[in-house]
């Protein structure tokens, strides 16, 4: 679907390509990783104990995340509550 929030994005490279930023700091574990397409924050998914991707989105109002799992190419807009296409600009930053 069309997501107007994506048109404002200037995707940034992952800040912590090796894993979830908060979990790395706290020594926690994650299940899947998500990349914030506004600032490059890497956070863990809602199946992970920390749910840091969603927490980051709510704290910062950064609207769109993409999957940071190898080979996965989808994005999610928290405002639209819908799956959206990965912007071409963000493709090089995915795994
Ligand atoms: Zn949107
Ligand atoms: Zn985490
Ligand atoms: Zn962010």
């Amino acid at each position: 679907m069309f997501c107007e929030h994506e048109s404002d994005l200037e995707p940034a490279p992952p800040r912590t390509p090796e894993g979830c930023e908060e979990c790395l700091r706290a020594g926690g574990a994650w299940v899947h990783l998500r990349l914030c397409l506004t600032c490059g924050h890497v956070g863990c998914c809602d199946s992970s104990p920390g749910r840091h991707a969603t927490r980051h989105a709510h704290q910062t109002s950064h609207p769109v995340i993409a999957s940071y799992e190898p080979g996965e190419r989808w994005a999610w807009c928290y405002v639209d509550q819908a799956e959206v296409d990965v912007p071409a600009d963000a493709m090089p930053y995915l795994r």
Side-chain angles (χ1 to χ4, degrees), residues 19-38:
C20 170
E21 192 169 315
E22 286 88 343
C23 286
L24 285 171
R25 211 183 297 141
W30 57 82
V31 181
H32 300 295
L33 295 173
R34 308 292 182 239
L35 175 67
C36 173
L37 296 187
T38 302

Side-chain angles (χ1 to χ4, degrees), residues 20 26 58 95:
C20 170
H58 288 155
R95 297 200 291 175

Side-chain angles (χ1 to χ4, degrees), residues 4-71:
E4 65 183 69
H5 311 98
E6 287 191 321
S7 53
D8 296 331
L9 295 177
E10 289 180 32
R15 298 197 313 222
T16 53
E18 65 275 23
C20 170
E21 192 169 315
E22 286 88 343
C23 286
L24 285 171
R25 211 183 297 141
W30 57 82
V31 181
H32 300 295
L33 295 173
R34 308 292 182 239
L35 175 67
C36 173
L37 296 187
T38 302
C39 69
H41 171 267
V42 176
C44 51
C45 70
D46 288 350
S47 304
S48 308
R51 299 183 179 188
H52 291 122
T54 295
R55 229 189 274 188
H56 170 82
H58 288 155
Q59 280 170 356
T60 58
S61 297
H62 292 166
V64 185
I65 56 164
S67 176
Y68 195 55
E69 291 299 306

